[in-house]
Amino acid sequence: MVFDLDLIKKVYAEMPAKIDAARKLTGRALTMTEKILYSHLYGALPAAEHGRGSDYVDFAPDRVAMQDATAQMALLQFSTAGRSKVAVPSTVHCDHLIQAKVGAKKDLELAIETNREVYDFLSSISDKYGIGFWKPGAGIIHQVVLENYAFPGGMMIGTDSHTPNAGGLGMVAIGVGGADAVDVMAGLPWELKMPKVIGVKLTGKLSGWTSCKDVILWVAGQLTVKGGTGAIVEYFGDGADSMSATGKGTVCNMGAEIGATCSLFAYDEKMSAYLKATGREEVAALADGIKDHLRPDAEVYANPAEYYDQLLELDLSTLEPYVNGPFTPDLATPISKMAEAVEKNGWPAKLEVALIGSCTNSSYEDISRSASIVKDAVSQGIKTKSEFTITPGSELVRYTIERDGFIKEFEDAGGVVLANACGPCIGQWARHIDDPNRKNTIITSFNRNFAKRNDGNASTYAFVASPEIVTAMAMAGTISFNPLTDTLKNDKGEDVLLKEPTGFELPPKGFDVKDAGYQAPAADGSGIQVVVNPESKRLQLLEPFKAWEGTDLKGLKLLIKAKGKCTTDHISMAGPWLKFRGHLDNISNNMLIGAINFYNEKTDTVKNQLTGEYGPVPATARAYKAANIGSVVVGDENYGEGSSREHAAMEPRHLGVRAIIVRSFARIHETNLKKQGMLGLTFANKEDYDKVQEDDSIDIDGLTSFAPGVQLTVVLNHSDGSKDLVPVNHTYNVQQIEWFKAGGALNVIRAEFAK
């Protein structure tokens, strides 16, 4: 089944003329990124070229994708927007609420029973508004999108930070918060600051133990977790063309870990082959027809430094496997140096659990290469020495790898196959561990490894590597193992060397599946009633946030001064809290409970200025709110890094936080704050972070003349009677200031459709 074929035909029919016009406008050759962006402008071409990294631009994405945890809030918001049907093709994917516990079958059955209320809500509201629905067990959103919806040259947004996975098929695919999705589903323009473009020139070819995952692990080490902020990363060159489409998807997926807006590759024969293998021969033929428009111009290839804001170069033939971590995805260590790093840093060498799969690495190619390692090991008398789990990315992949015998090979070696869902990657893991406070090590082929991310245990040292390296280490039982050089003792006491992995980019017998898990929406949803029980603990209808009162803000209390890394996992944890994603008040009880309080180095313990006592962050915020006192959160660098979850912005808004003041923001989180009518401000002088004191009462001046590019002033009124006047910057444009004044972007949308 080919989805949205008429839409794709329209995009391709219009693309050449739009690209030619953009080339004339800019007076130069264009990167692949620019071709897609300029061909997806909302409205006519501007009079002058959009400034990269400076101009806000309105775009018209082709489609929207939502996973079940974020879709709840997005669709609760959309249901109040006044539209009878989504304006662009949209889908919901049930992948986040399935907890990994014992194995695929039982875990899925338990999830369906436990989450029935949420699944029924998502199914019915999708039916009502014309949204495609992928049932629990169908697969992880990004793998399902790659198999069914992504197309070269297209543009989509998704309510998940790893939406850029679709860049593996040459699509600009950007992770956003639910409010952004509401804009697009309502037919309104979607706003984004024109991204800068980072070029990564790939030459040579991967071989041996090195895989596509190692490309992004290397890039993460080069650019760090914030090096891609405000930029699209564009991979090009002969090396890029030699990589499989799903391998390209892996690279683009984990580009979220460097803060990139998204990543993408140019259209090539590998993408064409994948489209054909997944039943989209017509899309491949259409793309072949405009192939030159789906690749950077020849001048860009010839002189890349002239067209990219930053350029990295990598010879794939010299790349070795990497292991990144612990606690951050950009701490990159080549496999040849890993044993030395383990000893030097005192990391626990013993490997307790090895996990492969997830949205990042669950393709047929990944599974087949890992299976080849397992088959070789077993044939040489070796079985897994660590717990070993396998998470297929979709039912299409799972059914096919079962048919081809890979699942049996994993299970024969001691592996456990989990449901086609996110599971341990997002903390949905009922891990079996004797002492959760014990220092221990796991390694995954996932994308993110922040503290507590996978199992909720701060003492777990989580590392990230390719499925091949993870599988080899599972056989060894230690992260100090280098399969390129080290041997293992088999059941006869012999020293054996594992063979290099081999596999297939695409299944030789083709993909197959009995039931992919798709549910088409009703042709006419006007008569469908979406019911939310007012007594529900998991779903709650939304009340509009209050509009700005029209004055400067006075007497705000400092809620918390967060120290160091404060990701969206710290602000709004996943794991067991996922069950409350559709109930704003209940999930707000996890607000900032993972952030480290600067003043006592503890989590979830802050001073209540009304009582002088220390208590949980959410309870303290509720106390201020009950007293009709606003509060302020202060943060460090790259605040809001990680997941796109807008709950990290909605919860502070709901609990009375008026402003987030930080040294710097991650892109998606800053946008989410703006959408919810919050003030997201940055210290003009980063050292002013140090002036904030625990008992401060805070004023924000300049709001009555709030304007783009004009600094505001934060007054820190200290308990000893002294004060500091701190200038703060913002990136609000005229429209975003209207969101603030109205109490949120959704209030503006409601007013538009009410006219």
Side-chain angles (χ1 to χ4, degrees):
M1 179 180 181
V2 181
F3 292 95
D4 310 322
L5 187 58
D6 288 341
L7 166 70
I8 297 170
K9 287 179 178 178
K10 184 175 184 292
V11 170
Y12 285 175
E14 296 175 354
M15 204 168 190
K18 289 182 176 180
I19 290 172
D20 287 342
R23 207 178 279 115
K24 290 174 183 175
L25 174 74
T26 60
R28 56 175 170 76
L30 298 176
T31 63
M32 173 77 171
T33 296
E34 291 171 309
K35 289 181 177 184
I36 298 176
L37 293 180
Y38 275 104
S39 63
H40 283 84
L41 294 177
Y42 190 97
L45 272 177
E49 177 181 355
H50 288 302
R52 292 184 190 174
S54 58
D55 290 354
Y56 281 97
V57 182
D58 285 342
F59 291 102
D62 299 312
R63 65 173 306 106
V64 173
M66 298 165 279
Q67 39 93 335
D68 50 357
T70 53
Q72 295 171 63
M73 199 57 71
L75 293 177
L76 283 166
Q77 292 178 86
F78 181 77
S79 67
T80 70
R83 289 280 313 210
S84 61
K85 191 175 182 179
V86 291
V88 301
S90 303
T91 51
V92 167
H93 304 259
C94 296
D95 61 359
H96 271 57
L97 300 179
I98 303 168
Q99 187 181 47
K101 197 168 186 178
V102 295
K105 188 174 186 295
K106 289 185 178 179
D107 291 348
L108 181 58
E109 289 172 351
L110 180 61
I112 291 172
E113 185 58 38
T114 304
N115 303 309
R116 189 175 302 280
E117 178 186 16
V118 173
Y119 292 148
D120 287 348
F121 165 75
L122 291 173
S123 175
S124 63
I125 200 168
S126 295
D127 233 10
K128 182 173 182 64
Y129 293 114
I131 298 168
F133 181 74
W134 289 82
K135 293 177 281 189
I140 305 173
I141 176 173
H142 313 302
Q143 181 68 23
V144 173
V145 165
L146 198 71
E147 292 168 356
N148 294 277
Y149 299 111
F151 66 95
M155 183 181 193
M156 69 174 284
I157 61 169
T159 60
D160 189 283
S161 56
H162 294 104
T163 299
N165 191 82
L169 275 180
M171 192 175 206
V172 165
I174 301 174
V176 299
D180 279 352
V182 172
D183 282 353
V184 177
M185 290 190 293
L188 301 175
W190 175 63
E191 183 186 69
L192 177 73
K193 187 176 283 187
M194 192 69 173
K196 294 182 178 180
V197 188
I198 297 174
V200 181
K201 182 179 180 180
L202 301 178
T203 57
K205 195 171 184 179
L206 296 167
S207 63
W209 283 92
T210 310
S211 76
C212 295
K213 181 64 164 272
D214 297 305
V215 175
I216 186 57
L217 295 177
W218 177 85
V219 170
Q222 299 296 307
L223 292 178
T224 78
V225 291
K226 58 181 291 188
T229 302
I232 290 179
V233 181
E234 182 171 311
Y235 294 84
F236 67 98
D238 293 343
D241 292 344
S242 72
M243 294 164 59
S244 68
T246 51
K248 292 177 172 77
T250 292
V251 173
C252 293
N253 177 299
M254 202 174 157
E257 272 45 77
I258 57 172
T261 301
C262 71
S263 306
L264 80 157
F265 286 76
Y267 180 64
D268 58 18
E269 291 180 4
K270 298 289 189 180
M271 293 186 194
S272 178
Y274 185 76
L275 286 169
K276 292 170 184 173
T278 50
R280 291 174 285 175
E281 294 87 350
E282 292 165 286
V283 178
L286 289 168
D288 289 341
I290 61 162
K291 185 174 182 178
D292 289 346
H293 297 288
L294 300 174
R295 294 177 65 82
D297 285 336
E299 297 91 332
V300 177
Y301 279 108
N303 299 291
E306 294 182 18
Y307 296 93
Y308 295 105
D309 296 285
Q310 184 179 350
L311 182 65
L312 299 179
E313 297 190 42
L314 174 62
D315 181 352
L316 298 179
S317 61
T318 66
L319 183 66
E320 65 175 299
Y322 271 76
V323 179
N324 287 25
F327 306 128
T328 186
D330 60 346
L331 180 57
T333 305
I335 193 72
S336 60
K337 305 289 185 184
M338 189 62 187
E340 178 186 334
V342 169
E343 185 174 353
K344 178 183 176 183
N345 293 291
W347 299 332
K350 180 185 176 184
L351 178 60
E352 304 209 3
V353 193
L355 308 97
I356 66 169
S358 87
C359 67
T360 321
N361 278 106
S362 56
S363 67
Y364 187 89
E365 179 181 30
D366 293 326
I367 299 297
S368 66
R369 282 173 62 87
S370 291
S372 77
I373 298 168
V374 170
K375 185 176 182 179
D376 171 54
V378 171
S379 73
Q380 297 195 72
I382 298 168
K383 286 197 174 184
T384 57
K385 293 184 178 62
S386 309
E387 286 186 47
F388 183 41
T389 71
I390 302 92
T391 304
S394 69
E395 178 59 12
L396 181 72
V397 168
R398 190 212 64 79
Y399 188 92
T400 305
I401 64 172
E402 181 178 45
R403 179 201 68 189
D404 292 350
F406 298 146
I407 286 182
K408 185 177 187 305
E409 288 173 2
F410 287 129
E411 291 176 339
D412 287 348
V416 176
V417 178
L418 301 175
N420 312 325
C422 300
C425 184
I426 59 164
Q428 282 284 59
W429 183 19
R431 185 181 171 191
H432 315 291
I433 185 169
D434 55 353
D435 178 6
N437 298 312
R438 177 173 55 78
K439 211 180 196 185
N440 72 98
T441 289
I442 67 172
I443 190 167
T444 80
S445 70
F446 305 164
N447 42 45
R448 216 161 261 167
N449 62 338
F450 306 138
K452 300 186 180 183
R453 168 78 181 185
N454 303 119
D455 62 4
N457 301 329
S459 55
T460 295
Y461 285 61
F463 295 84
V464 175
S466 69
E468 294 91 332
I469 294 299
V470 173
T471 302
M473 287 184 173
M475 299 297 161
T478 172
I479 58 166
S480 295
F481 177 64
N482 179 358
L484 284 73
T485 57
D486 299 346
T487 58
L488 296 174
K489 282 203 180 298
N490 66 8
D491 53 5
K492 297 177 183 177
E494 301 166 333
D495 291 324
V496 298
L497 186 71
L498 294 176
K499 291 180 182 176
E500 292 179 350
T502 59
F504 305 91
E505 290 184 11
L506 298 167
K509 300 178 188 174
F511 284 108
D512 196 9
V513 68
K514 280 188 176 177
D515 178 9
Y518 176 68
Q519 174 184 298
D524 179 7
S526 59
I528 295 173
Q529 294 297 313
V530 180
V531 179
V532 174
N533 184 343
E535 302 300 316
S536 173
K537 298 290 191 290
R538 299 194 60 177
L539 295 167
Q540 180 187 46
L541 295 176
L542 294 174
E543 294 290 331
F545 290 129
K546 291 180 180 178
W548 171 56
E549 53 268 70
T551 63
D552 289 339
L553 302 180
K554 304 290 186 181
L556 308 176
K557 300 297 185 185
L558 176 69
L559 178 62
I560 185 172
K561 180 178 176 179
K563 180 180 180 181
K565 186 183 284 284
C566 191
T567 72
T568 49
D569 278 281
H570 295 89
I571 304 167
S572 175
M573 286 185 179
W577 291 94
L578 281 171
K579 61 179 173 285
F580 297 125
R581 283 283 180 87
H583 197 294
L584 181 56
D585 193 57
N586 282 345
I587 198 170
S588 292
N589 289 322
N590 79 356
M591 185 188 76
L592 285 158
I593 62 175
I596 297 173
N597 183 359
F598 179 90
Y599 303 105
N600 59 14
E601 300 281 334
K602 296 179 180 179
T603 59
D604 202 25
T605 307
V606 295
K607 187 174 183 179
N608 181 332
Q609 293 188 43
L610 302 179
T611 65
E613 298 177 351
Y614 284 81
V617 182
T620 305
R622 289 184 188 277
Y624 292 147
K625 183 180 178 182
N628 204 29
I629 298 171
S631 55
V632 172
V633 171
V634 172
D636 214 320
E637 295 280 8
N638 208 30
Y639 183 89
E641 166 192 348
S643 171
S644 68
R645 66 191 64 146
E646 66 180 340
H647 297 77
M650 295 186 79
E651 291 172 33
R653 181 75 165 98
H654 176 64
L655 294 187
V657 177
R658 302 301 300 272
I660 313 289
I661 309 171
V662 301
R663 282 176 163 152
S664 65
F665 281 109
R667 175 191 65 85
I668 299 176
H669 187 63
E670 183 180 21
T671 300
N672 286 345
L673 291 170
K674 292 176 179 180
K675 287 282 186 177
Q676 301 304 331
M678 294 277 286
L679 287 171
L681 309 172
T682 55
F683 293 105
N685 305 304
K686 292 190 176 185
E687 60 272 18
D688 284 346
Y689 168 91
D690 299 318
K691 294 178 179 178
V692 180
Q693 298 179 17
E694 189 173 29
D695 293 311
D696 280 351
S697 179
I698 300 170
D699 305 332
I700 302 177
D701 294 339
L703 291 173
T704 54
S705 54
F706 196 8
V710 179
Q711 285 184 337
L712 300 174
T713 301
V714 169
V715 183
L716 303 173
N717 299 291
H718 306 308
S719 57
D720 63 2
S722 65
K723 65 175 61 179
D724 279 300
L725 272 62
V726 173
V728 291
N729 297 328
H730 67 84
T731 59
Y732 288 73
N733 60 25
V734 172
Q735 182 184 41
Q736 293 165 350
I737 290 172
E738 289 306 309
W739 297 344
F740 166 74
K741 291 179 177 178
L746 190 54
N747 290 347
V748 175
I749 294 174
R750 289 190 190 101
E752 286 286 324
F753 284 111
K755 290 178 182 177

